[in-house]
Amino acid sequence: IRSDKPRCPRQPSPAAMSSGRYDRAITVFSPDGHLFQVEYAMEAVQKGTTAVGVRGKDQIVIGVEKKSTAKLQDPRTIRKIHQLDDSICLSFAGLTADARVLINRARVECQSYRLTLEDSPSVEYIARYVAGIQQSYTQRPGVRPFGISLLICGFDAAGQPQLYQTDPSGTYSAWKATATGKQAKNVREFLEKKYDEGVEDPIKLTINALLEVVESGSKNIEVAVMTRGETLRILSEEEVATHVAQIEADKAAEEERNARPGGGAS
């Protein structure tokens, strides 16, 4: 029997409504309180290469996973560690083009601060400034969030090391050691197990953490060290290879001890 009664249109699922309606405009919240464009930007960060920061007693170490370059490409043009001021540097995970914009604005702000106040800006001030820019791009129409997370480090006026992390939502926080980018959760768990207050060798700890996710060893690792009273220094490939060889030798020795009868007993 044919019915002339009109059929009710099929209602889309809540998931389809969320993905189809609320992720197109950055200024619109979903019913469950999400800003999908910001979450998508965080996904872009998680797809980026890993960056690790470790705060030592009188040093700050930044380590990053380098992407393999083409044979004819100049590797000097592919940098993930940048200096902002005499005592401030940063690294990032996510979209490199987005990072370039924020790095340039942070450098200009450092110079403007010096020109206005005749003093160097603090690490916390620059972290708050950059996070403010990132947050402003989450509530303005016609723009999109920055798809990067920054690790900003340096020394304050008292000579104490500082390490901050920002994310696409515009939040920032201070850390003793942290990681961002691909497999950042695994690296952070490793740091939680190995980090001690006032760690004596933050370079070794940083490289060791990167080796948890980097498969090709020292070839794809770049490390920068900032020491109190000194300028930023990027370790050479030979120095990184030496540290990696020492770490691998220590691991092999520990495995050999544990393999002996009673070797793992306390």
Side-chain angles (χ1 to χ4, degrees):
I1 301 173
R2 183 177 177 180
S3 174
D4 295 332
K5 190 174 182 180
R7 296 181 180 179
C8 294
R10 184 178 179 182
Q11 296 294 327
S13 65
M17 291 179 64
S18 295
S19 61
R21 182 183 303 175
Y22 298 105
D23 64 350
R24 297 181 181 178
I26 192 174
T27 57
V28 178
F29 281 94
S30 68
D32 52 353
H34 289 274
L35 284 174
F36 285 106
Q37 289 294 328
V38 175
E39 294 183 5
Y40 297 158
M42 292 182 178
E43 289 292 332
V45 171
Q46 295 177 11
K47 294 182 183 297
T49 53
T50 310
V52 179
V54 176
R55 195 180 73 186
K57 186 176 181 180
D58 57 359
Q59 281 184 333
I60 304 174
V61 182
I62 292 288
V64 297
E65 177 187 2
K66 296 190 300 183
K67 287 185 177 179
S68 56
T69 57
K71 185 176 181 180
L72 301 178
Q73 189 176 21
D74 188 348
R76 295 175 299 176
T77 61
I78 311 298
R79 292 288 186 186
K80 287 195 62 180
I81 300 175
H82 300 267
Q83 188 164 6
L84 301 180
D85 197 60
D86 292 342
S87 60
I88 303 176
C89 71
L90 65 75
S91 183
F92 64 91
L95 303 179
T96 304
D98 287 11
R100 186 177 66 248
V101 173
L102 283 180
I103 289 169
N104 289 339
R105 293 187 65 171
R107 283 172 172 166
V108 171
E109 182 63 23
C110 287
Q111 297 303 311
S112 177
Y113 190 98
R114 283 180 173 274
L115 182 63
T116 305
L117 301 178
E118 297 183 355
D119 196 6
S120 59
S122 65
V123 184
E124 194 271 341
Y125 173 83
I126 294 300
R128 184 173 69 247
Y129 172 79
V130 173
I133 297 175
Q134 289 180 284
Q135 192 280 331
S136 68
Y137 276 69
T138 66
Q139 63 181 41
R140 290 164 48 191
V143 299
R144 65 163 176 79
F146 287 94
I148 57 167
S149 172
L150 299 175
L151 299 182
I152 305 174
C153 64
F155 289 88
D156 59 16
Q160 296 300 314
Q162 302 291 329
L163 174 63
Y164 287 84
Q165 179 178 355
T166 73
D167 63 33
S169 67
T171 60
Y172 72 97
S173 54
W175 293 79
K176 298 176 182 178
T178 187
T180 186
K182 182 174 57 178
Q183 300 185 39
K185 182 179 179 181
N186 296 336
V187 178
R188 201 175 292 120
E189 290 175 354
F190 175 84
L191 291 172
E192 289 174 357
K193 295 177 183 178
K194 300 294 184 179
Y195 182 85
D196 291 323
E197 193 71 32
V199 58
E200 294 295 332
D201 195 352
I203 299 177
K204 181 178 178 180
L205 178 59
T206 302
I207 296 176
N208 207 350
L210 280 172
L211 289 176
E212 293 291 307
V213 296
V214 177
E215 298 179 355
S216 55
S218 62
K219 293 181 180 179
N220 285 356
I221 292 179
E222 184 177 9
V223 178
V225 181
M226 182 171 283
T227 306
R228 183 186 295 118
E230 300 179 10
T231 58
L232 179 70
R233 184 174 75 90
I234 296 180
L235 301 188
S236 65
E237 294 183 359
E238 291 76 15
E239 289 178 292
V240 175
T242 301
H243 283 285
V244 171
Q246 182 62 46
I247 291 171
E248 292 177 347
D250 293 343
K251 288 182 178 179
E254 183 178 358
E255 290 176 359
E256 184 179 353
R257 287 194 303 269
N258 293 335
R260 295 173 183 173
S266 58

